[in-house]
Amino acid sequence: VETAIRAGQRWKAMDANARRRWDELAKGAKEDYDEAVRLFEAQGGRMHDVTPTKPLSAYMLYFRAKHQAQKPDEKVTDFAKVTGAEWKALSDQDKQPFHESAKKQRDLYDNQVAFCAKSCDQLIGEKFLDGRPSVMAFARVALFDAGTAQENADEARAAYHVVYDDQSRGQETLSLGELKARVCGDERAAKRAAARVDAAQKKRKAMPPPPMYQVPVDKKPKITKKPPPPPDDEPEPFTDNEILNVLRLTRRVAAGRLVAGAITGGEKRKAEKARLRKGVPVLVATPGRLLDHLRSTACLTYRRLAWVVLDEVDRLLDLGFGPQVGDIMKKLTNGAARRPSKVLVTATVTAQLKDLAQTHLHAGFATVEAAKDEDAQESRIATPATLSQAHAIVTLKLRPAALCAMLRESRQKTLIFVATCASCQFHAQAFARDEMRARWGGLRRRVGALHGRLDKESRRGAYDEFCRHGAAVLFA
């Protein structure tokens, strides 16, 4: 301590020229440290990661209890000598409470180390103790949201859904750093991890989303609520790439006379201009990028334009692209030598769509509706005679046990309905585990999930697999 005081006094007495040498040394050491940290994190490491606190021995617990009770004025080293002699003089019966307390801490430490070493999939369903002094409550990891945590997920991505046994605390969504800090009982680390999550979320909200369509600054689309996704029985709309692929297949039938191209917001305008210069008889485009080329690309000529087809017009209007669609229709109509034929394809007819049709279509435009075949027989929906339905009213804690009992009794194809997408994914992952299969007798049965968060191919694959196997179980 005295050496540090004298060094501080000498440092204060130095002038700028005398300090320059030491400043350069400190700057070089800081650069070396930053480079070492960068290489460490590039290899998958993480600085200042949360680790469990090592447990105290029985003697250290005794020493801490004596020191807190007496609060001596003497030095800690002198007090430790006296306490060590007293500890040696104690009988085994007097030492027993401290040994038991040390064993509990050791077991808790081993559980914390094992919990922190598990991967994200292994943490699902694991029960842990929130060791923070202000909480001290048991909880379990109910679900890991893989859509929220990407491949290079860090602490700033909350993806672990935690449910507490105490219903008053409810459930929370935590990041990996918060979860480890709570398991290790580190209050300050938990607060730091939560602050990093809040800062990352605010940063993501402040950053503008990547544009799907390049819209000019002077005329931005009106921001509207995102329309709900289509139900499972309604076919999803074609994307620009899918339409382009259909046109390429049609080109083969037309003996190469049909050339199609696409311009979207995900490619550089320079490459799109190069394709437009060669000539594209059939052009598939998104509204924002097409309007941009109509305003700024001189090689895009449409004097011989014959047809204008707007697909999924109702979806475009719901997404707020009504002003762009109106400008596109005006420019194409005014720039063409003859008034082109216009077709609007839509699944629903709204008031906004009617106004668009009356403004940009011919006065006597025709409406074509896709009707059902009159000769087709009317389909009747009836419950199959072989279908048996069952339900049981049980408490929340007994629901997994009751479901296991029902699946053990039924060896046939089973469809289980749950309330939410998260619950569907959780039950499918939980009942597919080997230890859970042994309880409900499903070692050779297929388990699948079918919910709205899956893409179309995954939903179709889960349904086909459920239909193929005789004793499959499907959560939906």
Side-chain angles (χ1 to χ4, degrees), residues 53-62 64 98-99 101-106 109:
T53 304
K54 291 187 178 181
L56 298 178
S57 62
Y59 167 70
M60 289 304 301
L61 292 174
Y62 174 77
R64 177 176 291 183
F98 299 99
H99 284 294
S101 181
K103 185 178 183 302
K104 290 180 180 179
Q105 288 193 9
R106 184 68 190 182
Y109 173 77

Side-chain angles (χ1 to χ4, degrees), residues 93-111:
Q93 185 177 1
D94 294 335
K95 293 181 180 179
Q96 186 64 26
F98 299 99
H99 284 294
E100 292 178 356
S101 181
K103 185 178 183 302
K104 290 180 180 179
Q105 288 193 9
R106 184 68 190 182
D107 294 341
L108 179 60
Y109 173 77
D110 294 338
N111 293 334

Side-chain angles (χ1 to χ4, degrees), residues 7-15 19:
Q9 294 174 353
R10 290 184 59 185
W11 178 259
K12 291 180 181 180
M14 287 184 181
D15 55 3
R19 291 185 181 184

